[in-house]
Amino acid sequence: MSPATFSFPTTALFGAGALAELPKRLVSLDIQKPLVVTDPGLLSTGAFQLMDQTLGPKEQGKTWFLYFGVHANPIEQDVQDAAEAFRTNDCDGIIAIGGGSPLDVGKAARLLVRRPGFDLANFYEQPNWSGLAPFVAIPTTAGTGSEVGRSSVIALGDTRRKSVIFHPALLAKLVILDPELTRGLPPKLTAATGADALTHCIESFTCPVFHPMCDGIALEGIHLIVDALPRAYRDGNDLDARGKMLVAAAMGAVAFQKDLGVVHSMAHPLSAICGMHHGLANALCLVAGMKFCAARAPGLYRRVGVACGLNLATCSDAESDERAIEFIVQFRAGLVLNTKLRDHGVKPEHLDALVKQAFEDPCHKTNAVPVTKADFHQLYLEVL
Ligand SMILES: [Fe+2]
């Protein structure tokens, strides 16, 4: 038997008001002139104002710089422009604040600071990425968990082909999980991003790759989400729920080091072809994906159900799956995530392209059970 490799990421600073620690932490990371990377939408939010106050308002002697051009689906130019801003201002570290996109660009910009002019399409031909500038990640949504990830998803070159750039050197030196920064997230986005985190936990737990540490983290993530997400959805100012969701989102992303499954393979083309929000796409496909897997691997969701708080001790495998899936059906409905794809602009004529891309997507290769093209077709029909 060949040995399994697993590792555990990043220092995280957690709690309401944790952002106040940032200046002190920058000193200990030897960052004097950070470049803040974000997207234009964040500039008018309370989260950005908090950070502005924490780093010291620009009027009182600016010691930090700002790049705010990140696109909703980041492109290579964003990474190049952020790296250019870093060099022009002679920065010595990057702070990325926002959702998954600014975090992904902030991570990757350090590559082009280290190697100016490098073509990211050749990323995997260059194995030595030591000596990257230090990186601090501050999420303002609780979903992707990009802050603890060691990869960036960037659309490369003129073709805008979405590519995953993966290297342990991309990991943040520090993650700040401050629920004050997610207070302003509207209920719809709270639900959709939270559903992404839930899907990460469920799919990584049921993925057959050997990683028992991730399995434990995924189950606790589910436990936190079923408690906290409905509360954060109902009351955005519930800082306890907001905090638990931030932790659970990070846990989901740690867990999916294992990998994901059929639901993410269905969700990715829905964003690429139909422009759907990633979390919403996952939410709408989750139940169909679970039913598909449970029919072929009875008992798969017993421990997911237990993590949701169900007592399944005397249930058969089939009954455990049924009850766990019914729990998710009700949970999703409580967050008004029980709509159909057609309610979000997906049309029957999109089906062929969706199926093709879903089958080409790597996530389902680690699904609990094999998935064929015909299966994807059937699954999309069920949720259309
Ligand atoms: Fe996801």
Side-chain angles (χ1 to χ4, degrees):
M1 195 175 93
S2 56
T5 306
F6 45 78
S7 54
F8 198 82
T10 335
T11 303
L13 197 60
F14 168 74
L19 185 69
E21 290 270 310
L22 179 61
K24 211 163 65 187
R25 298 292 178 134
L26 290 178
V27 172
S28 62
L29 289 168
D30 206 17
I31 301 176
Q32 273 102 40
K33 289 167 79 181
L35 177 73
V36 173
V37 173
T38 191
D39 59 53
L42 204 86
L43 298 183
S44 57
T45 65
F48 187 80
Q49 279 166 20
L50 270 179
M51 210 207 50
D52 190 40
Q53 288 159 11
T54 305
L55 285 178
K58 295 177 191 85
E59 307 81 55
Q60 296 169 13
K62 181 172 166 176
T63 54
W64 55 282
F65 298 88
L66 180 64
Y67 170 73
F68 62 92
V70 176
H71 289 80
N73 286 305
I75 57 174
E76 193 167 4
Q77 191 67 47
D78 299 344
V79 182
Q80 288 165 354
D81 291 349
E84 186 55 36
F86 186 104
R87 275 192 298 272
T88 306
N89 296 300
D90 197 21
C91 294
D92 52 9
I94 288 185
I95 301 169
I97 179 166
S101 300
L103 268 49
D104 278 5
V105 170
K107 255 184 240 177
R110 298 133 71 218
L111 300 169
L112 300 189
V113 167
R114 172 94 162 73
R115 290 195 163 81
F118 185 80
D119 183 351
L120 286 176
N122 301 325
F123 177 75
Y124 290 101
E125 288 163 26
Q126 172 55 260
N128 180 8
W129 286 106
S130 60
L132 296 187
F135 174 58
V136 178
I138 308 176
T140 60
T141 64
T144 67
S146 172
E147 62 275 10
V148 293
R150 55 198 77 188
S151 62
S152 283
V153 182
I154 308 286
L156 295 185
D158 297 333
T159 61
R160 303 256 165 120
R161 191 174 49 85
K162 275 201 173 195
S163 301
V164 179
I165 292 165
F166 173 93
H167 198 287
L170 287 173
L171 265 184
K173 283 269 185 270
L174 176 69
V175 171
I176 298 182
L177 302 174
D178 185 342
E180 293 283 1
L181 303 178
T182 54
R183 250 188 215 273
L185 205 61
K188 259 190 181 174
L189 262 182
T190 299
T193 48
D196 186 27
L198 178 65
T199 309
H200 293 157
C201 291
I202 293 176
E203 288 212 291
S204 58
F205 177 72
T206 51
C207 149
V209 171
F210 179 76
H211 201 321
M213 290 168 78
C214 284
D215 290 341
I217 290 167
L219 289 177
E220 180 60 10
I222 294 168
H223 176 75
L224 288 170
I225 292 166
V226 298
D227 164 51
L229 183 53
R231 290 194 285 125
Y233 176 73
R234 278 194 305 272
D235 175 8
N237 289 311
D238 183 336
L239 287 182
D240 178 72
R242 290 293 198 190
K244 283 182 173 147
M245 281 310 300
L246 271 171
V247 172
M251 290 168 79
V254 169
F256 81 63
Q257 286 178 57
K258 270 186 76 177
D259 257 318
L260 292 164
V262 61
V263 180
H264 267 77
S265 282
M266 290 178 75
H268 288 149
L270 285 167
S271 298
I273 296 169
C274 307
M276 269 181 85
H277 181 274
H278 174 66
L280 177 66
N282 275 313
L284 302 196
C285 297
L286 179 60
V287 168
M290 289 175 77
K291 285 182 178 167
F292 170 83
C293 295
R296 289 152 183 81
L300 188 66
Y301 297 108
R302 180 187 289 276
R303 294 181 67 197
V304 169
V306 172
C308 292
L310 302 175
N311 180 357
L312 303 174
T314 58
C315 295
S316 67
D317 282 346
E319 203 187 335
S320 297
D321 290 336
E322 220 171 273
R323 288 191 51 198
I325 293 169
E326 182 53 27
F327 181 93
I328 298 296
V329 169
Q330 297 303 329
F331 183 76
R332 210 174 54 157
L335 301 167
V336 199
L337 291 170
N338 51 351
T339 49
K340 295 294 223 178
L341 296 182
R342 76 176 88 93
D343 301 320
H344 305 277
V346 183
K347 299 192 165 57
E349 49 266 39
H350 289 129
L351 259 182
D352 287 348
L354 289 170
V355 169
K356 182 174 182 291
Q357 278 198 21
F359 190 69
E360 286 167 359
D361 184 271
C363 287
H364 74 90
K365 305 277 193 254
T366 50
N367 190 54
V369 299
V371 196
T372 65
K373 259 188 175 176
D375 293 331
F376 275 117
H377 189 87
Q378 184 56 38
L379 281 162
Y380 278 126
L381 276 180
E382 280 172 35
V383 292
L384 190 64

